[in-house]
Amino acid sequence: MINNELIRLHFRSVCAEGDMAAYDALYRLMYSRLVHFSAAIVGSFHLAEEIVSDVFIMIWQKRQELTNVENPVVYIYISTKNRSLNTLQQQKRHRHASLDMLDTDALTISPDAEHTIISAEIVQKIEAAIRSLPDRCQLIFRLVKQDGLRYKDVAELLEISPKTVDAQLAIAVKKVAAAIRLNMPQELAQAFLFS
Amino acid sequence: MTHDRIWYLLGRKMANELLPEEEKELERLLQQYPDVSYAKEVLLQSWKDKQKDFAAADVEAALQRNKQRLLEVQVEEVPTPRTNKIFRMALRLGSVAAAAILLFIGGRMWLSRQADSKPGQPALQQLVTKTGSRTYIKLPDGTSVWLNAGSKLDYPEQFHGSNREVVLREKPISKWRKMPSILSL
């Protein structure tokens, strides 16, 4: 993804040169995705926004030590994950905060109605289909589809194998496709059949 | 179901992970199952967040808040985190000691009320910080002090002999080169 390449470049500029403009650009590129990711873990957008802000401040303060970070995208996501889990542990005194219980509302995405060829009704069906998936599966679908993470990045972040990412994504895609097909108007289905 | 291969490939397509030969395979399968093309279109288009679909202005505002915080923590960076931790511990111990010292000084003041203006007492300087601004000061003996907002520090123009006495009100964020011998809080 072009975005991920940009993130890498900006991250390097921040670490190597203390480039404030690159810091701003990095923030703008990653803010929304990280907030949604964190909110899914801590169950609050308000908290998540603070956590993401903390992560960026940490990056700026530690920038000189981060010049050797191999994969900045994964590094930033993992930092966000860890800080979110820590916060959850402190907040709710959970002994074992984990990624197994997620607030999936924060993860939900749907086709952009403005640019879509499908009706609002089908968009709702797609949403429902995604919501019926296990938490982890929803998270993986979002990380790939919305955040543009590579399979190996998702695997590293969630500490699973790339093969699992593949399999989980196939399950999600199948569900979404089924929701679309079940609701496809007859003539449209015909048009596709004969195109 | 024979479709399973399609979902696997479609997932990879969506993730931009499709290898050239897989691309061809997907094309073939889509011809075989044309209705899936529709799902493919939908999966490849841009999607948006259901909740908190941040506008550019929201992100900008968040960035400005972050930059403001960054400025604030950079001031706090001055004592290194380790010193800070040690200092905080010292402060905790210090506050216990301070209570004792306060009693002692209070007693002394009461005793020396008559001999109030002793000749030869060094002239005192007072540093007061405004609320919302931190101030750095170097004392005559080279001790550096960071004064927190809304604090007051009384110190002599010159320290004489071994008696290095300062009076501090409100909480300090400081790094003593060498603790003054009497510290009143």
Side-chain angles (χ1 to χ4, degrees), chain A residues 23-24 28 36 45 53-54 60-61 108 110 116 118 127 142 144-146 151 166 174 181 184, chain B residues 7 12 15 17 34-35 38 43 45 47-52 60 66-67 69-70 74 77:
Chain A
Y23 176 89
D24 293 357
R28 291 190 188 104
H36 282 89
F45 274 100
S53 182
D54 287 348
W60 182 258
Q61 287 178 324
T108 312
S110 57
T116 196
I118 50 179
E127 267 175 43
R142 187 199 158 87
V144 171
K145 171 68 192 150
Q146 195 71 352
Y151 276 20
D166 247 334
K174 184 178 175 174
R181 277 203 302 166
M184 195 163 21
Chain B
W7 311 132
R12 293 192 74 94
E17 303 258 5
D35 53 322
Y38 191 47
L43 281 165
Q45 72 170 100
W47 289 33
K48 65 179 175 59
D49 292 308
K50 182 74 180 161
Q51 288 193 356
K52 284 266 178 185
E60 207 52 43
N66 175 266
K67 296 285 279 281
R69 279 187 58 200
L70 202 56
Q74 272 175 323
E77 259 177 33

